[in-house]
């Protein structure tokens, strides 16, 4: 029984010790949270807004296109709490949004700073002639601005209009490229050497005309005394005469064949 009580007490002491260590760790992490001066953050934000308004568009573009080394030298000379990348990005972003924003009107308020690790984000809501915008600056633990973002706010109609224009431009570009590719492929047919030789179509054989049957001639000549056109008939009659008379075919020439009168055949 005593051993069981001792085990329970030991477990309770261990649990209390663990809770104490956890509380100490939470306190230590709370003590290590980044400290900032909100007045300083607001002052840097207002300085950037005033600097934007005091410069013409050409000056904004010059600052956006300056070399990083020159920007860093200027920041060090004037003691401005910006990195070279953040300063250049800030002026490039504002220069690209001037036409959409219009002239500066007022600063409507500041948002509560957000701390994430070793960085704190401070944002201001601005009103311009054409629309409102949100300016956010990210400071590191030394109070130096590492990034600047200016987000113009658009209405639902403007967002849909931009989305439609982007869709039309994207699809139009795709169709134009496809049409161009099809035209290029079609032009290959006119390049010598690229056209496949076409097989010449052989004309269909013409049907042969049917042979005319040889005219049948009677076994006698015409009444006008002309020779019959049938050579076989002439040769047969010539051979018959030669056989009957006992002479040779070279001794005479058949010039005409005439029809004999029936009365003579009967008398003979």
């Amino acid at each position: 029984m005593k051993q069981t009580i001792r085990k329970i007490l030991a477990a309770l002491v261990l649990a209390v010790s663990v809770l104490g260590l956890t509380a100490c760790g939470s306190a230590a992490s709370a003590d290590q949270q980044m400290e900032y001066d909100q007045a300083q953050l607001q002052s840097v934000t207002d300085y950037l807004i005033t600097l934007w308004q005091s410069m013409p568009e050409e000056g904004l573009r010059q600052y956006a296109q300056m070399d990083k080394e020159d920007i860093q030298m200027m920041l060090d000379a004037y003691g401005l709490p910006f990195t070279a990348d953040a300063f250049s990005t800030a002026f490039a972003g504002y220069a690209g949004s001037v036409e959409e924003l219009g002239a500066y009107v007022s600063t409507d308020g500041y948002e509560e700073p957000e701390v994430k690790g070793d960085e704190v984000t401070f944002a201001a809501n601005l009103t311009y002639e054409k629309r409102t915008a949100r300016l956010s600056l990210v400071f590191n633990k030394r109070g130096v601005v590492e990034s600047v973002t200016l987000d113009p706010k658009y209405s639902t109609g403007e967002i849909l209009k931009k989305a439609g224009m982007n869709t039309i431009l994207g699809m139009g570009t795709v169709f134009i490229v496809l049409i161009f590719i099809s035209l290029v492929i079609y032009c290959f047919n006119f390049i010598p050497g690229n056209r496949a030789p076409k097989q010449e179509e052989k004309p269909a054989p013409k049907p042969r005309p049917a042979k005319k049957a040889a005219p049948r001639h009677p076994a006698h000549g015409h009444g006008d005394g002309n020779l019959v056109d049938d050579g076989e008939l002439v040769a047969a009659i010539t051979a018959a005469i030669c056989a009957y008379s006992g002479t040779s075919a070279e001794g005479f020439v058949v010039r005409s064949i005439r029809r004999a009168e029936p009365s003579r055949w009967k008398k003979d």
Side-chain angles (χ1 to χ4, degrees):
M1 185 67 180
K2 291 181 179 181
Q3 293 179 355
T4 303
I5 294 173
R6 289 177 181 177
K7 291 181 181 180
I8 294 173
L9 291 175
L12 291 175
V13 171
L14 181 61
V16 172
S17 300
V18 171
L19 291 175
L21 292 174
T22 303
C24 292
S26 300
S29 61
D31 293 337
Q32 292 177 359
Q33 188 175 5
M34 178 181 173
E35 296 180 358
Y36 59 87
D37 185 359
Q38 185 170 350
Q40 182 183 359
L41 303 182
Q42 181 175 339
S43 175
V44 174
T45 303
D46 292 339
Y47 172 78
L48 180 61
I49 296 172
T50 304
L51 192 61
W52 280 347
Q53 310 314 315
S54 62
M55 285 189 177
E57 294 186 8
E58 295 181 359
L60 295 174
R61 295 191 183 94
Q62 289 179 359
Y63 271 74
Q65 297 174 357
M66 283 181 61
D67 188 72
K68 292 183 179 180
E69 294 181 358
D70 296 337
I71 294 176
Q72 191 62 49
M73 291 176 60
M74 181 187 65
L75 294 175
D76 295 340
Y78 291 96
L80 300 178
F82 292 87
T83 62
D85 292 335
F87 195 81
S88 177
T89 303
F91 279 86
Y94 181 73
S97 303
V98 168
E99 295 182 0
E100 296 182 352
L101 295 174
Y104 171 78
V105 177
S106 63
T107 302
D108 298 337
Y110 304 94
E111 298 179 3
E112 189 68 20
E114 297 180 2
V115 179
K116 293 182 179 179
D118 294 336
E119 296 178 346
V120 57
T121 302
F122 187 75
N125 295 316
L126 309 177
T127 299
Y128 288 88
E129 184 180 3
K130 297 181 180 179
R131 67 187 73 255
T132 59
R134 182 177 182 271
L135 174 64
S136 60
L137 287 75
V138 179
F139 296 81
N140 58 18
K141 60 183 179 180
R142 295 177 299 171
V144 179
V145 179
E146 293 184 340
S147 67
V148 178
T149 305
L150 180 63
D151 295 325
K153 297 180 180 180
Y154 301 94
S155 62
T156 305
E158 291 175 336
I159 294 174
L160 294 176
K161 183 178 179 180
K162 283 191 173 183
M165 291 298 297
N166 293 334
T167 303
I168 293 173
L169 289 176
M171 295 182 65
T173 303
V174 171
F175 280 108
I176 291 173
V177 172
L178 291 176
I179 293 171
F180 176 75
I181 293 173
S182 62
L183 291 176
V184 171
I185 295 173
Y186 176 73
C187 291
F188 285 163
N189 296 327
F190 301 99
I191 300 176
N194 289 334
R195 185 183 299 179
K198 294 183 178 179
Q199 296 181 354
E200 297 182 357
E201 297 181 358
K202 296 181 179 180
K206 296 181 179 180
R208 295 182 179 179
K211 293 183 178 180
K212 296 181 179 180
R216 296 181 181 180
H217 298 282
H220 49 77
H222 296 278
D224 56 358
N226 294 331
L227 291 174
V228 180
D229 294 335
D230 195 346
E232 294 181 358
L233 180 59
V234 174
I237 295 174
T238 303
I241 294 172
C242 292
Y244 179 77
S245 62
T247 60
S248 174
E250 297 177 357
F252 63 93
V253 177
V254 178
R255 297 185 181 279
S256 64
I257 302 174
R258 296 178 181 275
R259 182 187 297 272
E261 296 179 2
S263 58
R264 291 185 179 182
W265 287 98
K266 291 179 181 180
K267 291 180 180 179
D268 297 340

